Amino acid sequence: MGLIKLLPDILASQVAAGEVVERPASVVKELVENSIDAGARRITVEFQRGGAGLIRVTDDGCGMDRSDALLCLERHATSKIRESADLAAISTLGFRGEALPSIASVSRFRLSTRRREDDGGTLIEVTGGKIHEVRDSGESPGTRIEVADLFFNVPARRKFLRGEQTEASNLLQQIEILAVSHPEIAFTCLRDQREVFRLAATEDLAIRLRDLYGEAFLRKLTPVSPQESQGVKVHGWIARPGEGRSDRTLQMTFVNGRMIKSPILSLPLREACDGVLAKGLHPPAVLFFEMDPSAVDCNVHPAKREVRFRDPGVIRSVALQAARSAWENAGPAAGFSPKAGSDPLFPPIAGTVWKPAVLSTQNELPVQSVESDRSARVAESPGSTAHSMSAFGIQSSVQAARFLGQLAGRYLLFEELESLMVLEIRAARERILYERFLKRLGTGELESQHLLLPEILEMSPADLAWIDAHRSILHAAGLVAESFGQGTVKVDSVPADASSLPVMEILVRLMDELRTLGDSPTLDPAGREALAASVSRLAASGAKLPAGEEAAMMLLKELLSCDLPYATPKGRPTLTQLSPGELQRRFTA
Ligand code: ADP
Ligand code: MG
């Protein structure tokens, strides 16, 4: 060809760019997927200033000759659909021939590429959609694409970009997804010229997960051995029973090799956890679903993140089955690691069926000692407080209360003016700590406990970027941490009230909680409330049970001296009461 020409309809490309390219992370996705399609064995992703400054993807794939290199910058030029029949059978990752022209229309774009069999390569430079340079270049085989100053010519879109740290974190997250779905490809990532990770190619997904997320994360997972039902196959890894996180960034579900977020895939995983994982938590998982391409429509979402399944029922049952069989195979011994509070609300017990433990109508009150066997406890769902008891209108006074005992390691029972009062220990602590933390945050940081030996923890690249971006809010929560090189973070101090929990757990849970506050949580009044609520939930889960009558009375007293004693910041009841009338009604035939 050798013809320099203007890209057709630049404007149309820019419009399309709005759909395909929302942010640096989506550019990386499109470029890396192209490299994967090109058969690359090694892919290097470099980026600067969160990707808004520069993204450079280099691969050792098949490369392009000059005419193809020029052609690929035209809209709807794709080497991936030969006939319309191919549309239904998408075997490659991309197929719309829109990504490169779209990206080139909104950036300073440079493509250099060379096929292995050719003597020389081609370099093409495009600025805002106009090709202004095509020449020979002496590249090594493969393709390198540079995208500089993304959206430089579309200020409205550039304004939409978040802070550098947020974009970097999203971008790293995207590379993680691609690296997880292709362990057979070596990945290297450099951020602002510093190496973030270098992943060796491997046939073993477990090794890729370990290299990316660390040994500790891998130990939390159990394999899902390949299985198939009605044409839908699945394999991968899923968290052991009871392991959960409140955000879903570590839940990766792939359909025919492409990461897909869909409730049809994620809800069954959560459903499988009912009874072993508190509400609001999700099991980390990396699951690969394979099905006939015609059973899934990928063209629903321009960036191909959503799909429509022909038969969602089958998908659901396969996903459920995957989780359950993995846990059966995990065996009871390995199945549940009794690590304190891996669930923020209740200690999860694998396999227990929920029964209301308290005040069930037929039984007497099974009052147990503090040391009651963990396994005898019943995991109860947060909303299940016996509904016949009202949390409102309690006229409690500490003076009139008499301590009766503890129940199920979770409740304190008091008699008060012929009523039975039940205090939920963890909820009560949450309320007490919340009010204390809120006052304290008004004047400074939460108390922190300095660790004698700082802990070095392995974290994912995206998490590390997040931690560095949010050091000050973590600090306000009492946690002092900074990245320490080679995929690790160094933790020097933890919130004093949570210091009995494992450091990794404090960090991960705090991070999950803070992430729900949005991209850049601040310490305005609303931010302080949210932070106090998060840390109080964390700290309450790590606190020891009150031992003995004096401690029990003290807890009641502290609770009743709160401004709003009867519920946690999230509205969970802390104290409830069964009146003489209510008791009598229950004993009337
Ligand atoms: P699509 O991936 O949907 O085909 P793109 O705009 O992403 O559309 O890419 C257009 C074409 O450019 C691809 O079909 C492929 O032929 C070629 N191409 C893009 N990136 C690469 C690469 N890294 N190596 C080899 N060929 C590539
Ligand atoms: Mg593509």
Side-chain angles (χ1 to χ4, degrees):
M1 257 176 90
L3 244 182
I4 302 175
K5 61 184 212 166
L6 268 168
L7 282 182
D9 44 14
I10 293 173
L11 200 60
S13 294
Q14 289 180 351
V15 171
E19 294 181 346
V20 185
V21 187
E22 295 158 329
R23 53 196 342 175
S26 30
V27 172
V28 166
K29 175 176 187 288
E30 296 294 338
L31 298 185
V32 174
E33 284 182 349
N34 281 345
S35 296
I36 294 170
D37 287 348
R41 312 310 306 161
R42 165 171 292 283
I43 299 173
T44 301
V45 182
E46 297 163 79
F47 66 97
Q48 288 169 19
R49 289 199 288 119
L54 176 74
I55 294 166
R56 180 188 293 132
V57 174
T58 309
D59 69 53
D60 61 354
C62 64
M64 288 174 268
D65 65 15
R66 180 156 303 184
S67 67
D68 278 348
L70 281 163
L71 199 63
C72 80
L73 293 169
E74 298 213 20
R75 293 192 73 206
H76 305 297
T78 171
S79 58
K80 296 163 195 171
I81 306 176
R82 303 271 175 228
E83 313 163 20
S84 64
D86 285 355
L87 253 181
I90 311 126
S91 58
T92 53
L93 296 168
F95 57 92
R96 302 175 334 139
E98 214 159 34
L100 291 187
S102 297
I103 295 167
S105 73
V106 292
S107 67
R108 301 182 209 279
F109 181 97
R110 177 199 283 247
L111 160 72
S112 50
T113 185
R114 180 187 145 196
R115 298 191 305 171
R116 197 163 296 275
E117 57 268 42
D118 294 343
D119 293 334
T122 301
L123 182 136
I124 302 176
E125 282 179 0
V126 186
T127 299
K130 293 197 188 77
I131 295 182
H132 57 77
E133 173 91 68
V134 179
R135 58 178 158 87
D136 294 344
S137 80
E139 292 293 318
S140 47
T143 302
R144 163 176 293 176
I145 290 179
E146 286 177 12
V147 176
D149 299 332
L150 186 62
F151 298 136
F152 80 98
N153 56 344
V154 199
R157 295 204 65 84
R158 191 156 176 105
K159 269 208 296 266
F160 266 112
L161 293 182
R162 306 292 182 81
E164 180 176 330
Q165 303 284 7
T166 302
E167 294 297 348
S169 181
N170 285 325
L171 195 156
L172 286 165
Q173 174 107 38
Q174 182 62 62
I175 306 175
E176 285 172 32
I177 290 167
L178 293 158
V180 163
S181 58
H182 291 278
E184 76 285 0
I185 298 175
F187 278 90
T188 301
C189 176
L190 288 99
R191 173 182 181 182
D192 298 316
Q193 273 142 22
R194 284 176 46 204
E195 186 174 299
V196 183
F197 57 72
R198 181 178 291 271
L199 306 169
T202 169
E203 289 304 308
D204 189 345
L205 175 62
I207 291 178
R208 173 58 48 98
L209 292 174
R210 185 203 64 195
D211 291 350
L212 205 44
Y213 298 116
E215 197 74 52
F217 177 70
L218 188 61
R219 275 199 300 271
K220 289 188 178 170
L221 302 179
T222 185
V224 174
S225 48
Q227 47 194 288
E228 178 169 5
S229 168
Q230 297 175 61
V232 178
K233 291 189 208 157
V234 64
H235 77 277
W237 292 77
I238 188 166
R240 294 173 183 281
E243 295 287 354
R245 294 198 36 177
S246 56
D247 80 346
R248 257 184 289 207
T249 48
L250 286 172
Q251 200 173 77
M252 302 184 191
T253 42
F254 299 87
V255 175
N256 294 348
R258 180 180 306 150
M259 163 90 168
I260 297 293
K261 276 191 192 302
S262 161
I264 296 181
L265 299 167
S266 60
L267 288 179
L269 300 182
R270 174 55 248 193
E271 193 182 331
C273 293
D274 284 348
V276 291
L277 202 58
K279 279 186 186 154
L281 293 190
H282 305 276
V286 179
L287 291 175
F288 296 89
F289 294 85
E290 306 288 337
M291 60 198 77
D292 190 290
S294 64
V296 39
D297 179 4
C298 300
N299 278 322
V300 184
H301 189 282
K304 304 172 224 150
R305 278 188 309 253
E306 283 164 22
V307 292
R308 206 171 281 141
F309 295 105
R310 203 176 50 201
D311 190 349
V314 173
I315 311 286
R316 178 179 168 276
S317 77
V318 170
L320 257 179
Q321 179 54 28
R324 290 184 176 147
S325 74
W327 292 349
E328 263 164 39
N329 297 337
F336 166 57
S337 50
K339 186 168 56 69
S342 55
D343 153 344
L345 293 176
F346 311 109
I349 286 101
T352 38
V353 181
W354 178 72
K355 276 201 260 91
V358 195
L359 306 173
S360 59
T361 39
Q362 43 309 48
N363 300 324
E364 81 274 48
L365 298 177
V367 178
Q368 291 178 344
S369 69
V370 191
E371 288 78 24
S372 69
D373 181 5
R374 260 185 95 84
S375 61
R377 286 189 223 158
V378 175
E380 209 176 315
S381 62
S384 64
T385 348
H387 46 90
S388 56
M389 307 202 300
S390 159
F392 300 101
I394 301 175
Q395 299 296 320
S396 320
S397 72
V398 186
Q399 285 77 12
R402 189 169 69 84
F403 179 56
L404 298 176
Q406 290 208 6
L407 178 69
R410 189 177 155 189
Y411 307 98
L412 300 178
L413 307 180
F414 300 91
E415 179 206 329
E416 196 226 17
L417 303 174
E418 300 185 323
S419 295
L420 177 65
M421 237 171 20
V422 184
L423 176 151
E424 212 263 74
I425 299 167
R426 213 187 268 194
R429 285 246 171 73
E430 229 178 284
R431 165 52 63 182
I432 296 165
L433 290 170
Y434 171 75
E435 295 200 358
R436 206 170 85 205
F437 290 167
L438 201 55
K439 287 197 187 94
R440 191 157 175 121
L441 281 172
T443 58
E445 274 124 29
L446 298 187
E447 230 173 297
S448 71
Q449 162 97 50
H450 194 74
L451 301 174
L452 279 177
L453 286 175
E455 266 202 52
I456 314 291
L457 304 167
E458 291 174 311
M459 304 293 288
S460 76
D463 283 351
L464 282 172
W466 190 94
I467 290 167
D468 275 336
H470 296 88
R471 271 163 63 179
S472 62
I473 193 140
L474 286 169
H475 194 212
L479 190 133
V480 180
E482 62 183 336
S483 60
F484 194 60
Q486 307 205 321
T488 64
V489 63
K490 177 161 78 73
V491 181
D492 290 303
S493 307
V494 297
D497 289 280
S499 58
S500 64
L501 293 170
V503 176
M504 181 63 149
E505 183 170 335
I506 297 174
L507 179 57
V508 167
R509 278 182 43 196
L510 205 52
M511 215 159 62
D512 283 355
E513 295 264 8
L514 296 180
R515 274 193 174 130
T516 65
L517 310 183
D519 276 339
S520 30
T522 50
L523 286 177
D524 59 1
R528 287 202 295 267
E529 277 174 25
L531 185 64
S534 298
V535 186
S536 65
R537 200 153 41 239
L538 179 71
S541 72
K544 289 204 185 62
L545 294 173
E549 175 166 356
E550 208 178 317
M553 292 304 291
M554 179 60 96
L555 192 64
L556 180 65
K557 189 171 156 205
E558 280 184 285
L559 178 65
L560 293 176
S561 60
C562 284
D563 292 338
L564 296 167
Y566 299 120
T568 66
K570 279 256 171 95
R572 218 154 54 81
T574 55
L575 192 65
T576 189
Q577 195 177 40
L578 203 55
S579 68
E582 179 65 38
L583 278 168
Q584 198 177 6
R585 202 180 52 74
R586 284 168 178 254
F587 289 103
T588 311

